[in-house]
Amino acid sequence: MTVPALDQGFAEALAIVADVEASAGRLCAATGFVERHTGLLPPGAVALLGLPVSCSGQEVLLGHPDATRGAIRLIQFEGPPAPLRRDGAQAWDSGGIFDINLRALPSIEALHARFTAHGFFARAPITDWDFGPLAVREVVEDDADGLAIALMERVRPPLTGYAAIGGPASWVFNSTQVVRDFAAARRFYTDTLGWQVVQETESMAGTAAGHNCMGLPLEVARDLPMRIGIYHPHGRMEGSIEIIAFGCEALDFSDRGPPLRGWAALRLAVSDLDAVLARCVGLGTTGPVALDWAPYGTCRAAAVVTPWGARLEFLEPF
């Protein structure tokens, strides 16, 4: 199988779950994704997660049948399930990776119903956002492993580029991280990694009526400032990473990581791993290590952990 396109943002989102078979079944039933690979967790993957080599487990790769990117890789470690990575966190609490994003094709109501039927629950009702030239509808789903998945339906302008994508949902096109320091997180993506700005906005966390998809009380959301930035190596919302900072004091989960359950890392295929690591001097890094990136083949890989605890795994194919 062909390696995902190089230097195009993240190719996969990694999640640690209690039961890979059960989680894979739920996610495939809700999204229309299919299993692309199942097998033992390779030692290189354990090393990238910063865990002892004695850790063992299984992995399952899920992907959209009409796409070669935007996949979900589930990991289950041997032994009793660990607690959640963001155990007790609300959507506005910072630290780690908050969610992944799917486009609802064509109906967000239908996709939301599929998620609900397979064990997910929404933080708030479907929310209509109108930004003038852009209008979208959004709902954030959660499951018992702490996997938050935001479903997005484009209202205006019409969505393009997905004509060949069938099923109820798109491939994973974006992932969100909630941060305390927006400026520092922005510098990491634009200056350290050298990525381009896709979109940056400042607004309140809710509509004029206070409606929001994060579960905030209406009167709070109406007056709570929020900054959003989306970044990608070439300025596209295709494997892009989004940062959100809320203007309130909140809990921080930056110091928590694997083997805790939830979104554990984003994997990015790159053409020059050494160049990436040279840019990330001073940050927490693991590797380089050799990794069997099933089903694509062997690669050279390293992980970088941001100051807010988001783990990015950079993989250079041999």
Side-chain angles (χ1 to χ4, degrees):
M1 185 175 290
T2 305
V3 172
L6 305 181
D7 306 317
Q8 298 297 320
F10 74 87
E12 293 179 5
L14 274 68
I16 299 173
V17 299
D19 185 326
V20 288
E21 291 186 3
S23 290
R26 289 194 299 270
L27 284 166
C28 287
T31 63
F33 281 26
V34 297
E35 291 190 10
R36 291 181 177 168
H37 157 76
T38 62
L40 296 177
L41 187 63
V46 175
L48 286 181
L49 291 171
L51 298 172
V53 293
S54 57
C55 291
S56 61
Q58 307 172 60
E59 64 175 10
V60 175
L61 179 65
L62 310 178
H64 195 290
D66 299 328
T68 58
R69 61 175 306 167
I72 299 172
R73 190 175 296 261
L74 304 174
I75 295 170
Q76 174 188 345
F77 289 107
E78 297 296 331
L84 301 186
R85 165 71 171 78
R86 286 171 54 89
D87 193 11
Q90 303 294 335
W92 50 89
D93 292 325
S94 60
I97 297 168
F98 172 61
D99 74 9
I100 62 169
N101 297 173
L102 298 172
R103 295 195 184 278
L105 305 173
S107 165
I108 195 169
E109 282 90 357
L111 186 56
H112 171 53
R114 291 174 70 110
F115 270 84
T116 301
H118 294 286
F120 284 78
F121 62 93
R123 292 173 177 260
I126 295 171
T127 302
D128 295 285
W129 298 101
D130 192 331
F131 302 103
L134 175 68
V136 298
R137 309 184 72 205
E138 181 178 5
V139 64
V140 181
E141 315 279 358
D142 280 279
D143 76 352
D145 284 308
L147 302 188
I149 301 178
L151 313 181
M152 312 283 292
E153 180 185 328
R154 175 73 66 80
V155 176
R156 185 179 66 248
L159 182 65
T160 60
Y162 289 82
I165 304 298
S170 74
W171 43 279
V172 181
F173 72 94
N174 186 61
S175 177
T176 305
Q177 300 163 14
V178 180
V179 302
R180 276 188 168 180
D181 188 331
F182 185 91
R186 185 189 191 278
R187 284 195 300 272
F188 171 75
Y189 286 110
T190 60
D191 297 348
T192 302
L193 292 187
W195 287 15
Q196 297 180 25
V197 176
V198 179
Q199 177 181 322
E200 292 182 327
T201 60
E202 294 187 46
S203 66
M204 296 301 136
T207 66
H211 298 142
N212 66 96
C213 60
M214 296 297 205
L216 286 156
L218 302 185
E219 63 180 342
V220 173
R222 278 195 295 266
D223 300 317
L224 179 64
M226 175 178 66
R227 294 185 68 183
I228 298 176
I230 304 176
Y231 309 96
H232 179 274
H234 307 289
R236 297 193 294 270
M237 201 176 295
E238 302 172 354
S240 52
I241 293 178
E242 177 176 356
I243 57 172
I244 300 179
F246 294 93
C248 63
E249 184 178 4
L251 299 176
D252 183 65
F253 293 79
S254 299
D255 61 349
R256 295 166 64 83
L260 301 177
R261 286 183 291 145
W263 295 116
L266 300 174
R267 279 188 176 176
L268 304 88
V270 297
S271 58
D272 191 338
L273 178 62
D274 290 333
V276 172
L277 294 179
R279 285 178 167 271
C280 296
V281 171
L283 295 172
T285 60
T286 301
V289 300
L291 170 66
D292 179 12
W293 190 16
Y296 309 112
T298 305
C299 66
R300 192 166 158 262
V304 174
V305 180
T306 70
W308 56 94
R311 185 178 300 269
L312 308 179
E313 298 181 353
F314 296 94
L315 284 61
E316 178 187 347
F318 282 152

